[in-house]
Amino acid sequence: MNLLHLKYFKTVAELEHITKAADKLFISQPSLSKSLHQFEEEVGVPLFDREGKGIRLNQNGKILLEHITKALDEIDYGLAEIKDKNHQYREVSLSVTAATQFLPEIILGFQSAYPDTEMYINQDKPNTKEPKSDLYLYSSNMPVEGENITPLLAEECYIGMSVNNPLTSYDVISPAMLRDEHFLTMQNHLPLYKLTYELCENAGFTPISHLQFDNRETIFALISTGMGVALIPSKTWAPYINDENICLKPLSVSCERYIILQANSKHYFSESMRQMSNYLINFFKNL
C-alpha cells in the first residue's frame, strides 16, 4: 500500500466516478481502474459497489475514506510544518468576500511589511467540502465563534436615504417606519441582504426589494437619486460616502454586521498565516 494508491482511492471515493477522477488526477482511466483493483485486493474487501458502468462507495469504503482523509491531511500538515521551520514556506492565500474595498490597501500594506512572502487572493468559501485558502475574510449577519475564528469588527448599521426623503425629519428611524420604502440591497446570498430582511421581518413586514447589486458605490448613487433606502454599515461603508444628497439616520433597534477572519483548520498554521492574521486584526482595529 503506497501513498499514491491512497490518493487515488480518496479521489475516486469522493467523486464516485472513474472518468472524472482520472481527469482530476491526470492519469488514464484504465490505469486508475487497475490501481483501484490492486488497492481493494490489498485491503482484502470490496470498497465500491459496481452498478454497470457506475461506481458507488460502500460501507467498507466509507470507513476507510474517513481514516485515509485524516492521514493524508496529517501528512500534508507535517510537510507544510517542515517547510515552515526550514524557512521554505513563505506564502499565504487569502479569500476575501467582505470589505473588498480595502483590498488594495491590505495588499500594499502587507507586502510592504513582509516583502518576502508571496500573497494569493481568491474568493472561495470556508464552508465548502475542500476549502483551498489559508485564511478567509467574510461578513456575517450574526456573531460567529469557533476555534479558528477571529471576529475582526462589529459595526452598527444606519439607514441611508436621500436628503429629500420625508423621513429625514426624524432623529431616529424605527423599522416600522420603513414599511413603504424601496430597499436597495446587496445580492441575496450576501449577509447584508439577509440582515435587511431580518430587520424588516422582525418589524412585521417583508421589505420591498427589487434591486440587488454587488457593490456599494451603485447603492450610494441610487440612494442619492431617491431610488430607495439601504442599510449602511457604519465603519466599512459610511465613511466612504462623499455625497451631500445622502442622509444617514440611526435605527431605533440594534442592527449589526460582523467582519470575520477564519483560518483553514486543514492547513498548517504557518508563520505567514500568523503574520497575515495579525496584520488583518490590526488593520480592522484601526478603522
Side-chain angles (χ1 to χ4, degrees):
M1 187 177 295
N2 60 48
L3 186 60
L4 203 57
H5 280 164
L6 298 181
K7 290 182 176 179
Y8 285 177
F9 164 74
K10 181 175 181 290
T11 303
V12 175
E14 289 174 343
L15 296 176
E16 293 189 322
H17 198 288
I18 294 290
T19 302
K20 290 180 181 179
D23 290 342
K24 185 175 181 178
L25 293 164
F26 300 104
I27 62 173
S28 68
Q29 183 176 333
S31 295
L32 180 58
S33 295
K34 182 179 178 180
S35 173
L36 202 59
H37 281 294
Q38 290 174 343
F39 183 69
E40 285 183 299
E41 288 177 1
E42 194 169 357
V43 174
V45 294
L47 302 173
F48 296 90
D49 293 329
R50 273 79 176 178
E51 303 170 356
K53 293 184 178 181
I55 187 170
R56 187 174 298 279
L57 194 66
N58 63 25
Q59 193 59 40
N60 298 324
K62 290 177 182 179
I63 293 172
L64 193 57
L65 176 61
E66 181 179 352
H67 291 281
I68 285 178
T69 298
K70 292 177 182 177
L72 291 176
D73 285 345
E74 282 298 318
I75 290 172
D76 290 340
Y77 192 95
L79 292 172
E81 184 173 358
I82 289 171
K83 289 181 180 179
D84 192 44
K85 299 302 182 186
N86 287 273
H87 307 291
Q88 298 175 355
Y89 194 89
R90 285 291 177 266
E91 62 179 47
V92 61
S93 55
L94 173 67
S95 171
V96 182
T97 54
T100 53
Q101 69 272 20
F102 298 122
L103 194 52
E105 189 176 350
I106 289 172
I107 293 173
L108 290 173
F110 184 79
Q111 288 182 336
S112 176
Y114 305 101
D116 296 329
T117 301
E118 293 289 337
M119 183 179 180
Y120 300 92
I121 303 295
N122 53 54
Q123 287 190 318
D124 67 310
K125 296 180 180 180
N127 56 355
T128 55
K129 189 174 183 180
E130 290 189 10
K132 296 179 174 60
S133 297
D134 294 321
L135 297 168
Y136 292 84
L137 181 65
Y138 62 93
S139 64
S140 173
N141 59 333
M142 62 183 67
V144 181
E145 297 180 352
E147 184 178 350
N148 302 303
I149 291 172
T150 304
L152 296 179
L153 183 69
E155 54 181 340
E156 197 72 33
C157 291
Y158 302 130
I159 192 73
M161 62 186 69
S162 164
V163 293
N164 296 317
N165 191 309
L167 292 177
T168 57
S169 61
Y170 294 89
D171 292 332
V172 177
I173 304 297
S174 71
M177 295 164 65
L178 301 170
R179 181 182 298 272
D180 297 323
E181 297 292 329
H182 289 261
F183 279 83
L184 308 168
T185 71
M186 296 293 280
Q187 294 177 340
N188 60 11
H189 64 281
L190 298 173
L192 201 55
Y193 172 92
K194 297 175 182 177
L195 193 60
T196 300
Y197 265 68
E198 287 176 3
L199 176 73
C200 298
E201 288 178 346
N202 287 340
F205 68 96
T206 299
I208 304 170
S209 177
H210 306 302
L211 300 174
Q212 299 174 14
F213 308 94
D214 60 2
N215 66 85
R216 64 181 190 184
E217 284 73 23
T218 303
I219 291 177
F220 292 168
L222 292 177
I223 293 174
S224 179
T225 61
M227 290 288 291
V229 302
L231 283 185
I232 305 293
S234 59
K235 294 184 179 180
T236 57
W237 283 35
Y240 303 92
I241 296 176
N242 297 307
D243 190 329
E244 60 184 15
N245 292 318
I246 296 177
C247 176
L248 298 180
K249 291 288 183 176
L251 289 159
S252 62
V253 297
S254 179
C255 182
E256 287 189 310
R257 183 177 84 140
Y258 303 86
I259 304 295
I260 308 296
L261 178 64
Q262 181 171 334
N264 189 337
S265 60
K266 293 187 176 181
H267 288 194
Y268 167 69
F269 197 84
S270 66
E271 178 65 12
S272 299
M273 289 174 68
R274 185 192 66 79
Q275 291 169 347
M276 173 58 80
S277 295
N278 289 340
Y279 177 84
L280 290 170
I281 290 170
N282 289 328
F283 180 90
F284 282 91
K285 185 185 295 183
N286 292 324
L287 282 181

